[in-house]
Amino acid sequence: MRRKELFKKIKYYFISTVIILVLAEIILSLSNIFPNDYYTNTPNTSHKYDENPSGIDGISGFYEIAFDALGSRSVSDYSKAAHKIVAFGGSTTICSVLSQEKTWTALLDKKLGGSYWVGNFARSGHSSNHHVLQFQHILDKPELKDAEIALILVGVNDCRGYLISQEKYMYMPELNIKRMAFRHVPNSELPFPKNLTLFKLAKQAEQRISLLTQKRRPIDYLEQFENTSEPLTKLPDLTAGLNHYENNLKKIIAEAKKRNISVIFITQPTIWQKNLSDKYKTLLAARAHYNKTPLYTGEALDEIMTTFNKRLITVCNRYNIPVIDLQLPKNQTIFYDDMHFNEPGAEVVAEKVYRFLKQNNHVLTNE
């Protein structure tokens, strides 16, 4: 008898829980908590951080990361702009440790004047694999149908991705790439139950807990990490990776032509070089340790970055596509680590891009 009553109670609580969850899902889905479209970052959100909490060289003041209604990190209003420029890239474009107005895209926006809007749609870790899909979906938004120029700072995550895992870099399923390329995708692109609002909320909570409890990343904070392995000096055969990279570049060029938008590529500068100081050798060791990837010497990394940059220039020359070869000093006047721009570095990048656009008649200015 007791077993029967216990079973009834379990059945009652189970059915009640299911009903509550279904009702909660219906109510939450009607609230549109999560966007049901393609966004590289969550629209209409912002995050503020304490004044240089990590002691990073070349960074000063409190900083904020904010995204507009398109999920773009911008400093002006796209709806009021006569000319629209979009920027794609990885962490060297999103500039996540720089304050909103000190990123190179924001500085470029200011230099171009009030009739221009520069929207930064970058996400850390993105390679040309992701940019292909972003071109297809971000630029199809009605608000960006009249975008005139797309800037793409590309290459470093391609060469690093190839070194980390050739299989993942060249053969990852498109759905997996898409879910990395966008912070949000339409529910129709997600398998059940991942399209449920309750699932998304649970996943968001898990990510926030992980962020709060994880140890500081040595690559972000330049903490010292002992080098416990001998750096590799010999790179793998780069042929397959370079061909994959070239194919992606050609896809982006084709997408730009289809949309009648001028694409301008930018090569990736780094501090990688022969005879790196002990500080940067430690930094490379920290990066390799955190990402669980092989550790290469600065000279080997400089070689692969140079090779990928040269392939980008070759492709652009072949298809008559503008390319900004961003040659910068390999020191701390530009970078706060081995590839990311500090505040003065972002100013240099913005000025170089601005001068290129102006001198090659890509933009209209009063100067």
Side-chain angles (χ1 to χ4, degrees):
M1 191 73 178
R2 290 181 178 177
R3 286 185 178 179
K4 197 170 184 181
E5 290 178 359
L6 179 62
F7 177 76
K8 283 184 177 180
K9 285 183 178 181
I10 293 174
K11 183 179 179 181
Y12 169 77
Y13 286 125
F14 175 78
I15 294 174
S16 299
T17 301
V18 170
I19 292 173
I20 291 171
L21 289 175
V22 170
L23 290 174
E25 175 62 31
I26 293 172
I27 294 170
L28 289 170
S29 63
L30 292 174
S31 301
N32 295 319
I33 296 174
F34 296 98
N36 186 24
D37 199 357
Y38 292 100
Y39 293 97
T40 55
N41 293 289
T42 304
N44 298 317
T45 57
S46 63
H47 308 279
K48 292 184 178 181
Y49 298 87
D50 291 336
E51 184 174 358
N52 197 5
S54 313
I56 296 175
D57 295 338
I59 309 295
S60 63
F62 294 87
Y63 66 99
E64 178 184 25
I65 298 176
F67 303 103
D68 63 17
L70 297 179
S72 159
R73 192 180 188 198
S74 61
V75 292
S76 60
D77 189 345
Y78 64 85
S79 66
K80 298 178 181 178
H83 307 283
K84 297 174 185 175
I85 297 175
V86 296
F88 296 106
S91 55
T92 55
T93 300
I94 194 65
C95 298
S96 59
V97 304
L98 299 186
S99 187
Q100 194 79 352
E101 73 281 358
K102 294 180 179 179
T103 64
W104 67 263
T105 52
L107 294 170
L108 176 63
D109 186 293
K110 292 178 181 178
K111 288 176 181 293
L112 290 170
S115 65
Y116 279 87
W117 171 80
V118 180
N120 187 334
F121 291 92
R123 275 175 68 81
S124 294
H126 278 186
S127 69
S128 61
N129 287 331
H130 308 99
H131 303 328
V132 171
L133 296 175
Q134 289 163 348
F135 243 78
Q136 294 171 350
H137 297 291
I138 295 298
L139 292 179
D140 279 351
K141 291 182 178 296
E143 300 91 339
L144 297 176
K145 289 288 188 180
D146 57 344
E148 299 170 358
I149 297 173
L151 300 170
I152 306 182
L153 176 54
V154 67
V156 71
N157 289 321
D158 286 89
C159 69
R160 288 183 63 247
Y162 185 72
L163 290 180
I164 291 170
S165 172
Q166 298 179 18
E167 182 73 20
K168 287 183 179 180
Y169 174 64
M170 295 189 295
Y171 304 112
M172 183 179 287
E174 183 175 307
L175 179 59
N176 291 2
I177 298 174
K178 184 177 288 186
R179 290 169 64 182
M180 292 173 62
F182 303 97
R183 179 68 180 83
H184 301 279
V185 299
N187 288 331
S188 59
E189 297 280 353
L190 296 172
F192 187 84
K194 292 183 179 181
N195 59 3
L196 297 178
T197 303
L198 286 171
F199 179 90
K200 293 177 182 178
L201 285 170
K203 191 68 177 178
Q204 185 181 76
E206 179 189 11
Q207 291 171 347
R208 287 178 177 174
I209 292 171
S210 176
L211 182 64
L212 292 172
T213 57
Q214 71 180 358
K215 294 181 180 179
R216 283 183 168 183
R217 304 196 321 178
I219 179 55
D220 285 347
Y221 298 91
L222 310 185
E223 295 172 348
Q224 296 297 305
F225 177 79
E226 183 180 359
N227 182 2
T228 58
S229 60
E230 188 67 24
L232 301 174
T233 58
K234 186 177 181 180
L235 293 167
D237 184 1
L238 302 179
T239 304
L242 287 168
N243 289 340
H244 180 80
Y245 182 50
E246 179 173 331
N247 286 334
N248 280 344
L249 296 176
K250 290 192 287 188
K251 289 178 183 178
I252 293 171
I253 292 170
E255 292 292 340
K257 185 176 181 180
K258 188 189 306 181
R259 290 166 175 75
N260 195 31
I261 185 171
S262 297
V263 60
I264 300 174
F265 289 100
I266 307 172
T267 63
Q268 173 67 59
T270 71
I271 208 167
W272 297 336
Q273 58 187 297
K274 187 178 181 180
N275 299 323
L276 277 175
S277 66
D278 289 341
K279 174 180 179 179
Y280 286 101
K281 287 180 181 178
T282 301
L283 177 61
L284 294 184
R287 184 186 292 281
H289 171 75
Y290 178 79
N291 291 320
K292 297 180 175 62
T293 59
L295 172 62
Y296 285 88
T297 63
E299 184 176 9
L301 291 171
D302 183 42
E303 180 183 342
I304 190 172
M305 190 71 262
T306 300
T307 304
F308 270 73
N309 280 338
K310 285 182 177 178
R311 179 60 65 93
L312 171 61
I313 293 172
T314 298
V315 172
C316 288
N317 290 340
R318 184 186 307 153
Y319 292 94
N320 196 30
I321 299 297
V323 58
I324 302 173
D325 190 10
L326 200 57
Q327 297 288 338
L328 300 176
K330 291 178 174 288
N331 56 48
Q332 289 178 279
T333 64
I334 301 293
F335 305 94
Y336 69 78
D337 61 4
D338 60 335
M339 69 176 70
H340 298 97
F341 309 122
N342 56 26
E343 290 173 3
E347 292 175 4
V348 172
V349 174
E351 180 63 22
K352 283 183 174 288
V353 174
Y354 172 72
R355 290 297 169 190
F356 182 92
L357 295 176
K358 180 186 174 185
Q359 291 168 7
N360 292 277
N361 298 318
H362 292 295
V363 295
L364 302 173
T365 68
N366 294 326
E367 288 188 31

